Amino acid sequence: GERPAKTNYPDLNAAPVIPEEIPEWPQVMDSWGFLLINAVTTLSEMCAVGFDLSPDEFTKRLKFGPHLLAPTGSNFNEFNALNTVLAGYHYDLNFLTIHGKSRYPGLNVWTREGERVGVKVPDGCLFVQAGKQIEYLTGGHILAGFHEVIVAQSTIDTMEKKKELGESLWRVSSTLFSHAASDQILEPLAHFSNSDTKALFPPITAGEQVKQELMAISLDRRHLGK
């Protein structure tokens, strides 16, 4: 028979890549990832109680979800001009996104009124953003937050201070994307469910919802394999 067409898909059964120069990589990444997902779990339980739902109404849907710890880095030795876009205006397709404090400012979010606001995370705190899946489950009561990352004037000011101190000019953001399990049904829950919200948010599995979101932005496997 014919050989299957070669693709650029990653081998999902391959062993995790561990940088030779960073032998402590698995321990550090796993411990940090579990801390972040535990924080999301606690916050999800608090939200459920606040919405007069069962405490596990959200967390039971997150169990076995394809959570993703995805730190990002931006090199300010090269990309340092004012208003350079590091991550364009978008919302997140997952449940909740949680961040450790970045080394540099530059994250902007939009309020419901359409006002763009620069995010300031206090030391020792985490920052959480709503994604599309919690918007689905609450029938739009919580909206997926639009945001961007740019080189702002505050970014440049921080850059200059770090240059004087001889510190790194890499912006590192340590982010975890929590997800509902792929076989869970997304639809407005309990008192969030009515004729209007059910029309806006028809039942869909989380896996299909993610697939549709990725297809909309040309990041599904069909496009990546080209």
Side-chain angles (χ1 to χ4, degrees), residues 79-130:
F79 303 103
N80 50 31
L82 183 64
N83 293 325
T84 297
V85 176
L86 305 175
Y89 175 83
H90 68 285
Y91 64 80
D92 292 342
L93 60 83
N94 53 298
F95 182 72
L96 291 176
T97 302
I98 184 167
H99 308 256
K101 182 175 181 177
S102 173
R103 291 177 175 175
Y104 288 84
L107 174 62
N108 294 321
V109 299
W110 272 259
T111 67
R112 282 177 180 259
E113 295 73 33
E115 181 184 1
R116 186 174 72 165
V117 179
V119 172
K120 296 180 181 179
V121 181
D123 291 340
C125 294
L126 299 170
F127 177 65
V128 180
Q129 292 173 276

Side-chain angles (χ1 to χ4, degrees), residues 58 61 95 133-139 186-189 192:
F58 295 132
R61 290 173 167 82
F95 182 72
Q133 291 177 350
I134 195 170
E135 178 177 323
Y136 234 94
L137 294 174
T138 62
L186 299 178
E187 60 184 339
L189 300 173
F192 294 118

Side-chain angles (χ1 to χ4, degrees), residues 58-206:
F58 295 132
T59 55
K60 66 184 180 183
R61 290 173 167 82
L62 300 181
K63 192 173 182 180
F64 304 123
H67 313 304
L68 177 64
L69 177 63
T72 58
S74 302
N75 184 2
F76 287 149
N77 291 289
E78 184 174 356
F79 303 103
N80 50 31
L82 183 64
N83 293 325
T84 297
V85 176
L86 305 175
Y89 175 83
H90 68 285
Y91 64 80
D92 292 342
L93 60 83
N94 53 298
F95 182 72
L96 291 176
T97 302
I98 184 167
H99 308 256
K101 182 175 181 177
S102 173
R103 291 177 175 175
Y104 288 84
L107 174 62
N108 294 321
V109 299
W110 272 259
T111 67
R112 282 177 180 259
E113 295 73 33
E115 181 184 1
R116 186 174 72 165
V117 179
V119 172
K120 296 180 181 179
V121 181
D123 291 340
C125 294
L126 299 170
F127 177 65
V128 180
Q129 292 173 276
K132 202 66 176 181
Q133 291 177 350
I134 195 170
E135 178 177 323
Y136 234 94
L137 294 174
T138 62
H141 183 78
I142 295 178
L143 296 177
F146 283 93
H147 52 283
E148 68 177 0
V149 182
I150 65 169
V151 176
Q153 185 58 52
S154 58
T155 317
I156 293 175
D157 294 342
T158 303
M159 217 181 293
E160 294 302 320
K161 292 177 183 176
K162 288 188 178 290
K163 278 183 182 179
E164 294 176 3
L165 296 171
E167 296 181 0
S168 174
L169 292 182
W170 276 83
R171 181 187 190 275
V172 176
S173 177
S174 186
T175 305
L176 183 136
F177 301 91
S178 68
H179 282 258
S182 299
D183 60 353
Q184 289 289 326
I185 301 296
L186 299 178
E187 60 184 339
L189 300 173
H191 53 81
F192 294 118
S193 178
N194 56 52
S195 58
D196 291 336
T197 59
K198 286 193 288 188
L200 288 171
F201 301 96
I204 187 173
T205 64

